[in-house]
C-alpha cells in the first residue's frame, strides 16, 4: 500500500485514507464481537505491566477494548484523526501508527500500576492528536498549522481531561505516552520541505 504516489490526486488520497480508516474501525468492532461471543477471551491481550510474557501483547492491546461502550467512545476520534493523518500518505501514516503503538504499549508495560490490564485505541488516538498538532509547525506548512490549531480547538478539552491522573479506570499513563509518541513521530517522520527552484538572471 503506497503512501503518497506521485500520480495520486487529493481525491485519490482522501478515498484511500477513508477506506483505510473504515476498515481499521470495522476490524476493531469485529474483534469486540468475537470478544463478547468468546466470553471476553480477548481481554487477556491487554498489557499487564512488567510481566515479561506480556510484551507480546504490546501491539494487540491497541486493538482490544473492554466492551462496546469503550470501543464506541474511541471510534469517532480514531476515524477523524486517523483520516486526517492518513491524507498525507498511507505509508507514512502506518509508520506513525506503528511508532505510537509500540512506544505507548512499551511505556504502559513499564510504568502502569501493578496488577492492571490496559487495552484500547485511546493511546493511538492521543498519539495521532499529538502528531497532527505539531507536524504542521515542524514542517512549516501553513495548512498543517491551521489543521493543528483546529484539531486543538475541537479535541483539546477532551485530551486534557484524559491526561488527569485523578480519573479512575482510565490509563492516563497510556494517554500521556501516546501523546508524547505522536509528537515524536512528527519529528521522526517529517516530510522535507520542497526546495524552491533556482533562478538565474
Amino acid at each position: 500500500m503506497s503512501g503518497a504516489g506521485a500520480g495520486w490526486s487529493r481525491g485519490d488520497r482522501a478515498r484511500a485514507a477513508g477506506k483505510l480508516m473504515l476498515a481499521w474501525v470495522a476490524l476493531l468492532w469485529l474483534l469486540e464481537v468475537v470478544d463478547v461471543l468468546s466470553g471476553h477471551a480477548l481481554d487477556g491481550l491487554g498489557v499487564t505491566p512488567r510481566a515479561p510474557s506480556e510484551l507480546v501483547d504490546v501491539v494487540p492491546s491497541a486493538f482490544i477494548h473492554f466492551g462496546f461502550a469503550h470501543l464506541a467512545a474511541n471510534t469517532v476520534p480514531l476515524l477523524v484523526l486517523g483520516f486526517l493523518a492518513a491524507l498525507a500518505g498511507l505509508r507514512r501514516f502506518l509508520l506513525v501508527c506503528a511508532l505510537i503503538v509500540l512506544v505507548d504499549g512499551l511505556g504502559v508495560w513499564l510504568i502502569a500500576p501493578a496488577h492492571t490490564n490496559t487495552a484500547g485505541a485511546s493511546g493511538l488516538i492521543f498519539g495521532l492528536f499529538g502528531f497532527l498538532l505539531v507536524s504542521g509547525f515542524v514542517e512549516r506548512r501553513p495548512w498543517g498549522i491551521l489543521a493543528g490549531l483546529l484539531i486543538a480547538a475541537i479535541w483539546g478539552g477532551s485530551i486534557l481531561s484524559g491526561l488527569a491522573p485523578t480519573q479512575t479506570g482510565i490509563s492516563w499513563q497510556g494517554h500521556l505516552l501516546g501523546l508524547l509518541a505522536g509528537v515524536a513521530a512528527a519529528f521522526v517522520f517529517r516530510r522535507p520541505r520542497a526546495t524552491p527552484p533556482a533562478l538565474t538572471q
Side-chain angles (χ1 to χ4, degrees), residues 5 16 59 64 84 94 99 107 123 131 143 171 199:
V59 173
I64 303 302
L84 293 175
L94 293 175
L99 177 63
F131 173 77
W143 285 111
S171 176
L199 300 177

Side-chain angles (χ1 to χ4, degrees), residues 135-142 145 190-197:
S135 61
F137 293 94
V138 170
E139 298 172 1
R140 299 180 183 179
R141 297 177 186 270
I145 293 171
R190 64 182 178 273
R191 293 172 294 175
R193 296 186 68 194
T195 304

Side-chain angles (χ1 to χ4, degrees), residues 50-127:
R50 294 172 293 284
S53 61
E54 290 293 304
L55 286 171
V56 298
D57 292 333
V58 162
V59 173
S61 66
F63 295 84
I64 303 302
H65 291 80
F66 299 133
F68 288 111
H70 182 202
L71 175 54
N74 283 338
T75 293
V76 172
L78 180 61
L79 268 175
V80 175
L81 297 178
F83 172 76
L84 293 175
L87 284 176
L90 300 189
R91 181 179 302 171
R92 179 185 185 224
F93 170 72
L94 293 175
L95 289 171
V96 167
C97 289
L99 177 63
I100 294 170
V101 168
L102 284 172
V103 171
D104 185 54
L106 288 171
V108 165
W109 184 85
L110 282 170
I111 71 171
H115 312 298
T116 57
N117 184 21
T118 302
S122 57
L124 176 59
I125 291 168
F126 275 68

Side-chain angles (χ1 to χ4, degrees), residues 161-170 172:
S161 65
L163 298 175
T166 55
Q167 294 191 71
T168 58
I170 301 294
W172 66 268

